[in-house]
Amino acid sequence: MTRTLTLPRPDDWHLHLRDGAMLAGIAPESARHFARAIIMPNLVPPVVTGDQAAAYRHRILAVTEDGFTPLMTLYLTETTDPADVVAAHQAGIITAVKLYPAGATTNSASGVRDFDRVRGVLDAMAEAGIPLLCHGEVTDPEIDIFDREAVFIDRVLDPIRRRTPGLRVVMEHITTADAVAYVRSQPEGLGATITTHHLVINRNHILVGGIRPHYYCLPVAKRETHRVALVEAATSGDVRFFLGTDSAPHPDDAKLSACGCAGCFTATNTLSILAHVFEAAGALDRLEGFVARNGPAFYGLPVNAATITLEKTDTPVPYPARIETGAGPVTVFDPGFPLYWRVL
Ligand code: NCD
Ligand code: ZN
């Protein structure tokens, strides 16, 4: 029996499109299924000014079809000019500002070391209603990598939110039950994105039976109890949780290395995987909220008028193992189970 599911066209609230040949190779994988995406600014060098964001937006539009809208972000540094941020937002060039603690992840060397130095920008953002998107991990070498998200909540996120109560914040790519509980405990102004891969893998998938570089990403996947908490949050219908794939391509030779890059590339099969995860949780009716309604509600944007239809098939849906790009092949995330839902 065939089943179909029609949804408003989904959005991806956390996406890495890169630049140059990689951008050209992988952007169509997102534009095929998603109407809008929040575009991460961690290029080399990073996107730090409104002018740079406008130029990057043009480069994205040049390689995607009509109907895909990149929502640009600025990379927050200790020298970011509050006036430039507010002007870029008022001009419709940017949607949000991204906070990377310095050294937390791929291309984050220009990130923030001393949070007191960005107070002026955060105040201006609160005033102008510009959301702050947090890579929520501390970088203190003494903190175990599996604890870095939970410690970030106590040491950085909660103090920022107490000091700047009007600031709207998204905790990006949450990976722990601690983050789920923190978001739920806050009455307003805080949302969280959840990736596709963190709904599927735990840390055993990375480390048991041989090391799997294609499952290595940041924040790193945690133990199974945390994955279960993420599935519960995503499928609960709570509007504060929404999809941000964090699809983060690296050429295979950069992943399959003695010091491999962090990032899972899920753009190609994300919707098939999510339909599987939500169906398995008995929550297929809540997929629409997670991928198409909760994000726009947080950002104060309309739900997309266009629709997308998923169909459940009897035989597994084929998808490419890798995408060939001018920057080299990029391996598509393997959820470890066959997929039966396909996008029509
Ligand atoms: C991202 C990347 O490769 O840019 N990597 C990742 O593992 N998620 C950076 C990030 O979002 O942390
Ligand atoms: Zn990311």
Side-chain angles (χ1 to χ4, degrees):
M1 191 190 76
T2 321
R3 281 188 61 192
T4 63
L5 184 65
T6 297
L7 314 168
R9 209 164 168 82
D11 303 304
D12 184 348
W13 300 98
H14 181 130
L15 176 64
H16 298 270
L17 285 183
R18 315 301 192 204
D19 213 343
M22 180 63 91
L23 167 65
I26 55 92
E29 299 299 299
S30 290
R32 189 174 300 136
H33 297 158
F34 292 91
R36 295 170 291 201
I38 285 273
I39 308 302
M40 288 295 122
N42 64 330
L43 304 182
V44 188
V47 179
V48 294
T49 67
D51 285 350
Q52 289 168 344
Y56 185 28
R57 186 169 171 280
H58 278 293
R59 299 200 294 279
I60 295 168
L61 289 172
V63 296
T64 47
E65 292 162 35
D66 286 351
F68 179 73
T69 304
L71 303 173
M72 308 309 292
T73 61
L74 292 183
Y75 184 120
L76 181 63
T77 74
E78 293 180 6
T79 56
T80 294
D81 175 9
D84 182 58
V85 172
V86 172
H89 186 255
Q90 279 172 355
I93 297 166
I94 64 150
T95 300
V97 173
K98 178 72 191 250
L99 166 70
Y100 291 101
T105 187
T106 311
N107 306 336
S108 61
S110 316
V112 178
R113 285 184 172 75
D114 179 353
F115 291 91
D116 284 340
R117 300 186 67 169
V118 295
R119 283 184 171 199
V121 188
L122 299 184
D123 288 342
M125 287 168 57
E127 173 84 27
I130 306 170
L132 179 73
L133 316 183
C134 291
H135 182 107
E137 289 189 289
V138 293
T139 54
D140 181 342
E142 282 172 18
I143 304 296
D144 188 276
I145 192 166
F146 291 101
D147 299 332
R148 288 179 172 198
E149 183 173 286
V151 173
F152 180 87
I153 296 168
D154 293 339
R155 283 196 193 170
V156 182
L157 182 59
D158 197 58
I160 285 179
R161 296 191 62 247
R162 281 176 197 280
R163 199 200 147 270
T164 321
L167 185 65
R168 294 177 64 68
V169 176
V170 182
M171 262 196 101
E172 299 284 87
H173 43 48
I174 60 170
T175 60
T176 57
D178 311 67
V180 170
Y182 181 69
V183 172
R184 287 203 169 121
S185 74
Q186 301 300 299
E188 59 186 7
L190 182 65
T193 55
I194 302 179
T195 77
T196 306
H197 49 284
H198 288 115
L199 294 174
V200 172
I201 60 165
N202 62 40
R203 62 196 197 181
N204 281 12
H205 291 89
I206 311 171
L207 297 170
V208 172
I211 190 157
R212 315 281 167 148
H214 293 300
Y215 289 155
Y216 174 59
C217 67
L218 288 170
V220 70
K222 311 296 191 295
R223 62 169 68 238
E224 176 65 3
T225 48
H226 294 291
R227 188 194 68 82
V228 170
L230 297 174
V231 172
E232 206 278 315
T235 61
S236 67
D238 187 328
V239 298
R240 291 171 290 190
F241 300 102
F242 40 92
L243 175 65
T245 65
D246 194 19
S247 183
H250 294 275
D252 280 351
D253 60 355
K255 293 286 294 175
L256 307 173
S257 146
C259 184
C261 291
C264 297
F265 179 69
T266 56
T268 304
N269 54 6
T270 272
L271 290 175
S272 297
I273 297 171
L274 291 174
H276 179 109
V277 168
F278 275 66
E279 184 177 44
L284 207 47
D285 56 327
R286 292 184 172 157
L287 183 63
E288 175 168 331
F290 184 68
V291 304
R293 293 194 179 275
N294 302 351
F298 182 90
Y299 280 91
L301 293 169
V303 171
N304 295 306
T307 60
I308 196 168
T309 298
L310 292 153
E311 178 188 60
K312 189 170 185 188
T313 61
D314 293 331
T315 48
V317 177
Y319 59 87
R322 57 192 59 78
I323 304 295
E324 299 298 336
T325 80
V330 174
T331 291
V332 176
F333 179 76
D334 172 8
F337 44 76
L339 297 172
Y340 293 93
W341 285 94
R342 70 184 173 115
V343 181
L344 292 181

